[in-house]
């Protein structure tokens, strides 16, 4: 297997394959090296994901509990931070991006913004 290690999608709190069972290879555009195999979600998968999001918004504290949303987004930003070098390598390989671009708008700045500060050291380090 390539550097992409998970072929399932996260839908309604579960890792699931595409309902159709379809997958596709994602490849490095420069070398054609297969980076991994991922689920090829279709309309029914989209409907399931949108339905799950709507349910979470309507029936949980997600839409009203600002502290919960902030905590979740910070956890996500921390996870991105812990795996920033891996994400950088994957972005370069899958998108064909330059490493320099990932150090700005291509990766570091969005991750820093997710953590709450577009001028955080995450955006300018490395």
């Amino acid at each position: 297997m390539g550097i992409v290690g998970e072929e399932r999608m996260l839908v309604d709190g579960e890792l699931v394959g595409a309902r159709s069972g379809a997958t596709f290879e994602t490849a490095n555009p420069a070398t054609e090296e297969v980076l991994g195999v991922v689920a090829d979600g279709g309309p029914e998968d989209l409907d399931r994901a949108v339905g799950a999001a709507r349910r979470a918004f309507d029936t949980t504290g997600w839409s009203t509990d600002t502290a919960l949303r902030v905590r979740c987004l910070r956890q996500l930003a921390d996870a991105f931070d812990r795996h920033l070098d891996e994400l950088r390598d994957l972005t370069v390989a899958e998108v064909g991006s330059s490493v320099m671009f990932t150090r700005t708008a291509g990766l570091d700045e969005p991750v820093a913004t997710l953590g709450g500060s577009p001028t955080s050291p995450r955006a300018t380090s490395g």
Side-chain angles (χ1 to χ4, degrees):
M1 168 156 305
I3 62 176
V4 177
E6 178 57 65
E7 63 182 60
R8 297 169 295 173
M9 304 173 287
L10 183 61
V11 179
D12 206 7
E14 297 178 49
L15 287 170
V16 297
R19 287 245 168 113
S20 68
T23 60
F24 68 93
E25 293 179 341
T26 182
N28 180 320
T31 65
E32 298 182 357
E33 170 195 9
V34 173
L35 302 172
V37 176
V38 295
D40 189 4
E44 61 277 3
D45 300 301
L46 177 64
D47 289 345
R48 181 176 178 206
V50 169
R54 181 79 256 176
R55 237 181 354 275
F57 189 83
D58 291 341
T59 65
T60 72
W62 185 256
S63 65
T64 58
D65 188 344
T66 303
L68 170 66
R69 290 194 314 274
V70 167
R71 187 171 61 250
C72 290
L73 290 173
R74 287 193 177 141
Q75 286 175 344
L76 180 60
D78 289 344
F80 277 132
D81 264 350
R82 284 192 307 276
H83 298 281
L84 201 55
D85 289 335
E86 296 164 67
L87 290 167
R88 188 176 323 286
D89 291 344
L90 182 58
T91 301
V92 168
E94 185 175 23
V95 180
S97 169
S98 69
V99 172
M100 182 58 75
F101 181 69
T102 70
R103 296 196 182 280
T104 59
L107 184 62
D108 288 4
E109 290 172 6
V111 170
T113 301
L114 183 63
S117 171
T119 58
S120 115
R122 283 189 274 236
T124 57
S125 68

